[in-house]
Amino acid sequence: MVHAFQERKALISQKLCAIPGVKLAEPQGAFYVLPEMSAFFGPGAEGKDFGPVPDSEAFCVYLLKQAHVAVVPGEAFGAPDCIRISYAMDVATLEEAVSRIAKALDPAVFTRRTDTA
């Protein structure tokens, strides 16, 4: 089982880091990652057919509604610029989830924040 979780961690880390604007420190344990996603919420951030995305909570709602992927705002874990994504599921589901996130963040449907913070 340890090997399976290591494989999932490597997969989700690689796939998330391939999305422009996502930053991810090497996960150190458990079965979740906390990618830094602040490029996708704040001033100017907006989802097509969704509207403004002012904070990580709204960003999580955006991903739920547009990508049908459930994630958790990082504020609850002391990481307000992050979201929490579990990788306690099979590899095929993980790949599909990250693919959906990437599509929801495509510049054709999502405008990133406009400031440099």
Side-chain angles (χ1 to χ4, degrees):
M1 193 61 171
V2 171
H3 177 70
F5 276 97
Q6 289 172 335
E7 179 183 343
R8 294 171 193 169
K9 177 173 72 170
L11 173 79
I12 196 167
S13 296
Q14 175 192 14
K15 299 280 186 184
L16 285 171
C17 288
I19 300 172
V22 175
K23 299 174 189 168
L24 181 64
E26 177 68 28
Q28 296 301 312
F31 49 87
Y32 57 86
V33 292
L34 283 165
E36 196 270 297
M37 306 288 279
S38 65
F40 302 101
F41 52 85
E46 187 170 332
K48 183 178 180 185
D49 300 326
F50 182 81
V53 183
D55 53 33
S56 67
E57 185 173 341
F59 181 66
C60 290
V61 172
Y62 171 77
L63 289 179
L64 182 61
K65 289 186 175 193
Q66 301 303 114
H68 305 286
V69 175
V71 298
V72 180
E75 283 92 352
F77 309 99
D81 289 340
C82 300
I83 61 172
R84 181 172 163 163
I85 305 173
S86 171
Y87 54 85
M89 73 261 326
D90 63 86
V91 169
T93 301
L94 269 178
E95 288 179 327
E96 178 66 22
V98 178
S99 175
R100 289 179 184 189
I101 290 170
K103 286 178 185 173
L105 299 179
D106 185 280
V109 295
F110 194 90
T111 303
R112 291 168 54 169
R113 70 185 295 160
T114 54
D115 66 355
T116 56

